[in-house]
Amino acid sequence: MKKAIVIIPTYNEKDNIEITVSAIFDVFAKINSWEMNILVVDDSSPDKTYDLVRKLQKKKKYSSKLHLLINKQKAGLGAAYLKGMEKAFGDLKADVVFEFDADLSHDETKIPLFLDRIDQGDDLVLGSRYIPGGGIPDDWGFHRKVLSQVGNIVTRIILTDFSIRDWTGGYRAITKKAYELVSPEMNSEKFAGYTFQIGFLHKSRLKGLKISEVPYKFRDRTFGKSKIGPEYIKNALSYIIKMKIKSILNHRIFKFLIVGGLGTLVQLITLQLFRALLPDFSWLFLTSFTLTTFLSIEIAILSNFALNNLWTFADRKITLAQAPFKFLQFNITSAGSILIQLIVATVGEKVWGIFDLFMIPVINMNFDTGTLYVMIGILLGLFWNFFAYNAFIWKKKK
Ligand SMILES: Nc1nc2c(ncn2[C@@H]2O[C@H](COP(=O)(O)OP(=O)(O)O)[C@@H](O)[C@H]2O)c(=O)[nH]1
Ligand SMILES: [Mg+2]
């Protein structure tokens, strides 16, 4: 039989832990197809929550099904969960763990619904307050309601991931597969409080895990007080913004544009150098002017080719043997982009006449070609290049 362990992190929960453990065991009694255990992870609570758990462990009805892990000091919710999961999936040989609060904010009667989803093949099941059937307490103050809802909306917008409704909730079922893929990237210092929940979920999404949500109505704690403070919100926000920046920097289009920009610089600099160094000459149809123009373009193309291969398309690198043919192809696509720019400028001027985007009457500059066409041409050229690189030069490996 498969085994699931409900992990309950505790810090000063002496008034809650007994009721919570008892309520969960009532639900366990109705579950037949899973072996169910509880693991309390206490950070040496000053109110001695752990002593109460030890007492409960002696009761026959809980016997060997209630485990306790004591940390020497308070290290935060994320650290408590990571320690707890390590023990649950290790020594205790769990297939699935639950994240569950000691204050009964999480509706324990939903545990079987989570297990159903796991049985159907989900890797991670989230308790959700923000899907139909779920909810937050009516008597929550305006402040807390707005904070929770806005927090979730902001997370969804910044991470541009709208498939998940409840990012910050702490009621979850996690399979061993999800744990093994995600936990190596979680370091408990950086992932405290809500950041732990958001971070674990975000990394699970990036790994392509199968995730679903089960609705539940959040209940307010009756005893004790919440340990989650404003620093958790700041940390969570800084985490999602960092992840967003990282994903933009990692984006292929971003790298492609940087390489293209560098290529332009290379072309301008080498052109100046060659013009300064090369003596004036004219040989048949070739003048030093055309030669230096051609050389600087070719060097820029070479730099674009090399940098795109090493960075933008590092995951589809061209081998040395393929390089000569691919470089020839690359030259042809680059010529294609120049051709596009010429066509746009010529057709534009023929059809609509010169149209200068930056024509400011006071300065009264005189361009011989419309800057608007140049800009459209460059933009279309970029589209063409990016398309051609993907389609012909760095084709996706099958
Ligand atoms: N072991 C451990 N548990 C913690 C720590 N901080 C919070 N908890 C527990 O995590 C759960 C959720 O905390 P709570 O303060 O209720 O947060 P809230 O529900 O967001 O207000 C409760 O069971 C707490 O006792 C911690 O530093 N260590
Ligand atoms: Mg709570």
Side-chain angles (χ1 to χ4, degrees), residues 39 51 72 120 122 143 163 193 200 206 218 280 283 294 313 339:
L39 169 63
D51 269 349
K72 285 205 184 65
Q120 285 160 24
D122 287 353
H143 204 76
S163 62
F200 197 99
L206 294 180
F218 190 94
D280 231 359
W283 183 73
F294 172 77
F313 293 93
L339 194 68

Side-chain angles (χ1 to χ4, degrees), residues 72-318:
K72 285 205 184 65
Q73 51 205 343
K74 180 167 160 58
L77 188 67
Y81 269 129
L82 287 175
K83 282 246 177 74
M85 289 182 201
E86 196 184 330
K87 183 178 163 87
F89 287 120
D91 292 355
L92 300 176
K93 305 226 162 14
D95 300 290
V96 170
V97 300
F98 280 79
E99 293 181 1
F100 200 92
D101 283 3
D103 55 11
L104 274 186
S105 288
H106 302 152
D107 180 356
E108 71 286 354
T109 63
K110 303 285 181 192
I111 289 175
L113 293 181
F114 285 72
L115 292 172
D116 286 347
R117 295 287 178 86
I118 303 273
D119 284 332
Q120 285 160 24
D122 287 353
D123 302 310
L124 176 62
V125 184
L126 313 170
S128 183
R129 297 160 294 177
Y130 300 119
I131 56 173
I136 52 178
D138 293 330
D139 61 354
W140 264 14
F142 178 73
H143 204 76
R144 194 156 175 211
K145 268 186 191 156
V146 168
L147 198 68
S148 177
Q149 270 157 347
V150 170
N152 266 291
I153 291 167
V154 166
T155 307
R156 280 155 66 193
I157 292 173
I158 298 182
L159 295 178
T160 47
D161 187 342
F162 298 94
S163 62
I164 280 152
R165 291 299 180 126
D166 196 340
W167 281 84
T168 51
Y171 187 13
R172 295 175 173 180
I174 299 167
T175 57
K176 190 168 186 177
K177 175 184 168 192
Y179 168 76
E180 282 174 346
L181 280 173
V182 172
S183 67
E185 290 177 25
M186 305 283 297
N187 112 11
S188 52
E189 281 145 57
K190 280 197 220 132
F191 293 95
Y194 297 126
T195 317
F196 178 78
Q197 306 300 3
I198 297 174
F200 197 99
L201 180 51
H202 179 234
K203 291 183 194 308
S204 299
R205 293 276 304 152
L206 294 180
K207 299 274 178 199
L209 291 175
K210 219 171 153 236
I211 304 169
S212 72
E213 289 180 281
V214 164
Y216 78 100
K217 291 205 166 65
F218 190 94
R219 294 180 299 220
D220 250 337
R221 60 161 68 232
T222 324
F223 303 106
K225 57 174 198 278
S226 168
K227 283 117 212 153
I228 301 263
E231 76 279 9
Y232 281 135
I233 297 160
K234 213 187 81 202
N235 289 346
L237 200 61
S238 108
Y239 171 81
I240 55 178
I241 291 172
K242 258 186 228 149
M243 286 303 122
K244 184 73 203 181
I245 292 171
K246 203 170 144 191
S247 88
I248 292 173
L249 295 184
N250 266 327
H251 211 290
R252 216 189 280 287
I253 289 180
F254 174 80
K255 296 178 180 173
F256 162 82
L257 290 174
I258 294 287
V259 169
L262 281 175
T264 310
L265 266 177
V266 166
Q267 187 180 338
L268 291 173
I269 292 168
T270 49
L271 185 64
Q272 293 307 313
L273 273 177
F274 288 146
R275 295 238 160 116
L277 296 176
L278 225 72
D280 231 359
F281 71 88
S282 165
W283 183 73
L284 280 182
F285 300 108
L286 189 69
T287 61
S288 58
F289 183 85
T290 46
L291 181 67
T292 50
T293 306
F294 172 77
L295 275 178
S296 62
I297 290 177
E298 201 50 42
I299 287 172
I301 289 178
L302 188 65
S303 130
N304 282 0
F305 182 69
L307 290 177
N308 277 320
N309 192 43
L310 290 173
W311 192 40
T312 319
F313 293 93
D315 54 330
R316 306 178 189 171
K317 243 179 226 140
I318 290 165

Side-chain angles (χ1 to χ4, degrees), residues 40-57:
V40 175
V41 184
D42 188 83
D43 287 4
S44 302
S45 294
D47 76 353
K48 301 218 166 88
T49 306
Y50 52 88
D51 269 349
L52 222 101
V53 177
R54 282 203 185 109
K55 223 175 274 168
L56 292 174
Q57 281 180 311

Side-chain angles (χ1 to χ4, degrees), residues 12-57:
N12 289 343
E13 301 284 6
K14 74 171 166 47
D15 297 324
N16 290 312
I17 193 66
E18 185 165 0
I19 309 169
T20 303
V21 166
S22 153
I24 295 174
F25 270 100
D26 286 348
V27 176
F28 283 180
K30 295 175 201 143
I31 299 171
N32 302 312
S33 50
W34 285 77
E35 187 190 340
M36 303 298 297
N37 281 195
I38 289 180
L39 169 63
V40 175
V41 184
D42 188 83
D43 287 4
S44 302
S45 294
D47 76 353
K48 301 218 166 88
T49 306
Y50 52 88
D51 269 349
L52 222 101
V53 177
R54 282 203 185 109
K55 223 175 274 168
L56 292 174
Q57 281 180 311

